Amino acid sequence: MIDPEKIIQMGGLALVTAVVFAETGLMVGFFLPGDSLLFTVGLFCALGILPVPVIWVLLALTLAAIVGDQVGYWTGRFLGQQLFEKKDSRFFKRKYLDQTRAFYNRWGGSAIIMGRFVPIVRTFAPILAGAVQFPPHTFILYNVFGGVLWIFSLVLAGYGLGSAFPWLKKYVELIALGIIFLSVLPILRTWWKERQRLKAEAHL
């Protein structure tokens, strides 16, 4: 997992915007720290570490998230069934697509919204939606709603924390480590569930 603090300090809002786009629009973006990065950006805005008005952060990142999902969707439409025949590589694993399909089958169209908050799923959900020919006009509605909800909830959560407790600036590094730990938990949970499922299948 890439350190969100390093991303912000190295490239500011421009790099953060690029990361959000990559995580939602490119199949190689599943390893990027989406949730933790958004929360940290909001926190850094409030503490003055990132000298950008939070409204511009919200607008830039929301646009990146929405455009990213649209790129992912049309990539899936273009690839179609070829996507399911694609071999594993360093940046693509078939199991990630299978995990997203299971999530999609369980939640239907709302997976496009809910998947924003689930690592790996938020990268592959729009691609899978395109591959299965999800109606484009309906996808746009889910995409916009999910993008706004994802960006605003996490950025404003971080911003609210920093505004309420400005003394947290002294403990930025510890907070960043804590955020990274929390962001890794869903990935570990997914890995553990997949491991248990494979064990159960092996005993059948």
Side-chain angles (χ1 to χ4, degrees):
M1 181 66 69
I2 300 175
D3 187 345
E5 183 182 1
K6 293 283 179 59
I7 292 176
I8 298 169
Q9 292 178 341
M10 287 174 56
L13 180 58
L15 184 56
V16 173
T17 302
V19 167
V20 170
F21 171 81
E23 187 170 15
T24 57
L26 306 177
M27 284 189 287
V28 299
F30 60 87
F31 62 89
L32 297 170
D35 295 340
S36 57
L37 179 61
L38 296 180
F39 185 89
T40 306
V41 165
L43 179 65
F44 280 19
C45 279
L47 298 178
I49 298 173
L50 180 64
V52 179
V54 69
I55 185 62
W56 291 114
V57 172
L58 292 169
L59 292 175
L61 299 188
T62 299
L63 181 62
I66 293 172
V67 173
D69 255 31
Q70 286 300 132
V71 170
Y73 174 81
W74 288 107
T75 299
R77 293 272 291 199
F78 175 76
L79 292 176
Q81 288 303 309
Q82 298 178 42
L83 184 65
F84 301 100
E85 300 168 2
K86 187 176 176 62
K87 295 182 179 180
D88 283 359
S89 65
R90 182 178 180 182
F91 295 109
F92 177 85
K93 303 294 181 184
R94 174 59 188 270
K95 66 179 181 179
Y96 297 152
L97 191 61
D98 292 336
Q99 290 170 8
T100 303
R101 187 203 286 268
F103 188 87
Y104 192 83
N105 289 338
R106 179 179 180 184
W107 299 104
S110 60
I112 298 167
I113 298 173
M114 299 173 63
R116 291 280 193 178
F117 298 88
V118 182
I120 297 177
V121 171
R122 70 169 149 263
T123 299
F124 290 97
I127 297 170
L128 183 62
V132 300
Q133 304 291 304
F134 193 85
H137 292 92
T138 306
F139 178 82
I140 290 176
L141 294 177
Y142 282 113
N143 176 18
V144 171
F145 183 80
V148 171
L149 181 64
W150 183 48
I151 298 296
F152 273 65
S153 63
L154 291 172
V155 171
L156 291 180
Y159 188 80
L161 180 65
S163 298
F165 305 103
W167 49 265
L168 289 174
K169 190 172 183 177
K170 299 178 181 178
Y171 305 99
V172 165
E173 292 186 1
L174 289 176
I175 293 171
L177 288 174
I179 291 171
I180 292 172
F181 174 74
L182 291 175
S183 65
V184 169
L185 286 180
I187 298 175
L188 294 177
R189 180 174 177 270
T190 300
W191 171 81
W192 176 255
K193 289 177 67 175
E194 182 67 13
R195 184 184 179 193
Q196 295 300 107
R197 183 183 68 81
L198 292 175
K199 281 186 177 180
E201 290 178 354
H203 287 86
L204 291 179

